[in-house]
Amino acid sequence: HPHHDMEIVTYVLDGALEHKDSMGYGEVLRPGEFQRISAGTGITHSEFNPSESEPTHLYQIWLLPQSKGIEPSYEQKRFDDSGLSNALRLVASPDAENGSLTIHQDARIYLSRLDSGVEVSHQIDAGRHAWLQVLRGSLELNGVPFQTADGAAISDEELLKIRATADAEIMLFDLP
């Protein structure tokens, strides 16, 4: 199926996802791996579970790019598990900061795996917003409880305090 003018970030939690596209890329994403597609002027691609017996669990994030008509591109990366443990690891940004995937939008995506009882915090600049997605586990965000698959849209907050109440895995989006 075709796409254009879209930033698509995929993260596989369990199973696998096979990808083929009109740019010539054909990859299998495995647990812990990220993929970024900048559809730009247009691509055609397919995604499917390559296993007949194992289910696939993934998150796919769609962001509008800052400008239309960019050249399509593809990137796939696995981030070192040690950098994700009890810390917010930048995994996508507009400037590939700290080895993150490059997205064509003023947004930053963080991933973290938190041990029960651990707290991380994130400062939100004035005029910006955030989205927290609980991939697994349970936590409190500024004292409010969240469970697996819960999400929170956040505005008008300066500081996010995320404390795991059980082992947890999260994605945090810092957005314009």
Side-chain angles (χ1 to χ4, degrees):
H1 55 274
H3 296 292
H4 65 86
D5 293 322
M6 193 60 63
E7 297 293 295
I8 306 165
V9 178
T10 304
Y11 176 62
V12 175
L13 281 89
D14 298 303
L17 182 71
E18 189 163 346
H19 166 89
K20 294 181 183 179
D21 67 39
S22 57
M23 295 181 287
Y25 294 102
E27 304 284 343
V28 175
L29 276 80
R30 306 235 180 255
E33 292 182 332
F34 280 85
Q35 171 197 82
R36 187 264 311 152
I37 300 171
S38 293
T41 56
I43 64 159
T44 302
H45 79 131
S46 65
E47 295 173 319
F48 55 93
N49 181 350
S51 173
E52 292 185 23
S53 60
E54 186 178 3
T56 298
H57 181 195
L58 63 92
Y59 277 84
Q60 192 166 72
I61 299 94
W62 294 59
L63 299 167
L64 293 171
Q66 278 188 315
S67 58
K68 293 184 176 186
I70 63 173
E71 183 177 338
S73 59
Y74 176 94
E75 197 175 3
Q76 183 172 327
K77 186 174 268 192
R78 176 179 201 83
F79 294 92
D80 182 62
D81 289 343
S82 65
L84 303 171
S85 181
N86 298 318
L88 290 169
R89 170 60 162 106
L90 185 64
V91 294
S93 68
D95 54 6
E97 184 182 340
N98 295 330
S100 62
L101 299 169
T102 303
I103 52 176
H104 299 92
Q105 179 51 268
D106 180 22
R108 286 176 161 52
I109 302 172
Y110 298 87
L111 182 70
S112 183
R113 295 188 187 124
L114 300 171
D115 294 333
S116 182
V118 171
E119 181 176 289
V120 294
S121 60
H122 180 73
Q123 184 77 37
I124 301 176
D125 293 338
R128 292 188 65 85
H129 310 277
W131 177 271
L132 175 72
Q133 185 67 49
V134 182
L135 306 178
R136 305 180 218 249
S138 61
L139 57 87
E140 290 179 349
L141 169 62
N142 290 357
V144 178
F146 290 86
Q147 302 293 320
T148 298
D150 286 346
I154 304 150
S155 295
D156 301 322
E157 291 284 342
E158 293 180 11
L159 182 65
L160 302 181
K161 291 184 178 182
I162 304 161
R163 188 180 67 80
T165 54
D167 289 354
E169 185 170 8
I170 62 167
M171 261 192 206
L172 178 66
F173 302 81
D174 189 317
L175 304 164

